[in-house]
Amino acid sequence: MIRIVIADDHEIVRAGMKQIISDDEDLEVAGEAESGEKLIELFKKNEYDVVLLDLKMSGMSGLDTLKHLKLIKPKIPVIVLSMHSEDQYAVRTIKAGASGYLTKETAAENLVNAIKKVVKGGKYISPAFAETLAESIAGGVSLSPHECLTDREYEVLCMIASGKTVTEIASELFLSVKTISTYRQRLLDKMHMKTNADLTRYAIKNNLLEF
C-alpha cells in the first residue's frame, strides 16, 4: 500500500484528491495538512511514501515547504499540484527537488499514474513539457527575464502584479516590509524596469497571474 499525505489549504481540494486516490486499491491517503507547517509536523511523527503538495498555500509557500521537506526527508517523492501552467513553475519545482508537477485541471486523469511513477523513482511531467525542462536544466534555452529571478523574487513579482502592496506581501509571507522592499528593488533591477505598473504589464503579457 502506498501511503500518501496531501498538503493543501482548501478542504474541497483535499477531498477531491482523496476521491481520485480511493479508486485505486494500491493507494491510501494516510495524512492531510492544511499548511506547510502542518505538513512538516506530520513528518516528525509519521512515515509516508509520497507527498501531494499545493504550490500556493497560506503561511509557508509550497516552494518553501518543498525545500524544507527535502532537507529533513531528502528521498521522499513530492508531486507539486498547481493552478499554474507548467511553463510558469514546473522548472522551479523540479530544480527544488520535486519529483513531479501536475496542474490541478489535469490531476483527475493523471494523478494515479504520477504517484506510481514517482514512488518507483521516476519523474512526472507532461510529455509536451519534458523537452523544454531538459533543455532548460541543460542551459540550452534562452531564459525570459522572470526565469532569472530567485524563487522569492518571482513570488514577490507575482504578488505585486496581482495588486498587493508591499505591506500586504510582507504580512502574507511573514517577512518585514523592508525585506519585501529589497526584493522588489532587486527584481526591478534584474528586469530593467522602474515601476509596479511595468511589472504588472510584464506579468499579464507573460501569463504569470491567476485569474
Side-chain angles (χ1 to χ4, degrees):
M1 184 70 72
I2 298 172
R3 290 170 53 82
I4 301 160
V5 58
I6 303 172
D8 193 296
D9 57 358
H10 293 97
E11 185 176 355
I12 191 169
V13 174
R14 298 198 305 272
M17 296 298 107
K18 287 166 66 178
Q19 181 61 48
I20 295 169
I21 290 166
S22 69
D23 291 336
D24 193 293
E25 61 183 13
D26 295 327
L27 307 180
E28 172 192 13
V29 176
E32 295 182 52
E34 67 272 20
S35 68
E37 292 86 350
K38 292 288 186 181
L39 178 65
I40 300 303
E41 285 298 318
L42 284 178
F43 266 93
K44 293 179 180 178
K45 305 174 183 177
N46 306 284
E47 292 292 330
Y48 304 101
D49 299 308
V50 64
V51 180
L52 303 182
L53 176 64
D54 182 27
L55 187 62
K56 294 288 186 179
M57 294 188 289
S58 58
M60 186 185 295
S61 72
L63 271 175
D64 286 343
T65 301
L66 172 61
K67 293 173 183 176
H68 192 152
L69 189 58
K70 297 305 285 190
L71 286 176
I72 62 174
K73 292 284 185 177
K75 294 184 178 180
I76 189 75
V78 179
I79 297 174
V80 171
L81 298 167
S82 174
M83 295 298 296
H84 293 279
S85 62
E86 289 173 305
D87 59 348
Q88 294 177 48
Y89 270 105
V91 172
R92 289 180 182 274
T93 57
I94 297 296
K95 285 183 176 179
S99 297
Y101 188 97
L102 274 176
T103 60
K104 289 184 178 179
E105 64 179 330
T106 64
E109 56 190 276
N110 297 318
L111 183 60
V112 170
N113 287 338
I115 290 171
K116 291 184 176 181
K117 185 170 183 179
V118 301
V119 166
K120 292 178 181 177
K123 301 284 186 184
Y124 188 90
I125 52 175
S126 71
F129 196 71
E131 185 175 347
T132 300
L133 177 60
E135 290 180 351
S136 174
I137 293 175
V141 173
S142 178
L143 297 177
S144 300
H146 67 273
E147 294 177 301
C148 297
L149 301 174
T150 66
D151 292 336
R152 183 66 81 190
E153 289 165 352
Y154 182 80
E155 188 173 25
V156 172
L157 163 63
C158 292
M159 296 176 81
I160 289 174
S162 68
K164 295 181 179 179
T165 66
V166 168
T167 301
E168 289 171 336
I169 297 170
S171 176
E172 189 168 328
L173 298 181
F174 299 100
L175 296 170
S176 69
V177 170
K178 182 178 179 181
T179 298
I180 298 302
S181 296
T182 299
Y183 280 122
R184 174 184 175 277
Q185 190 57 54
R186 285 181 189 168
L187 67 91
L188 284 171
D189 291 343
K190 287 185 178 181
M191 300 180 71
H192 305 291
M193 296 179 183
K194 295 182 179 180
T195 67
N196 287 1
D198 293 335
L199 296 174
T200 301
R201 282 192 291 270
Y202 179 92
I204 293 173
K205 181 179 179 180
N206 288 275
N207 299 313
L208 305 183
L209 301 181
E210 295 180 44
F211 293 101

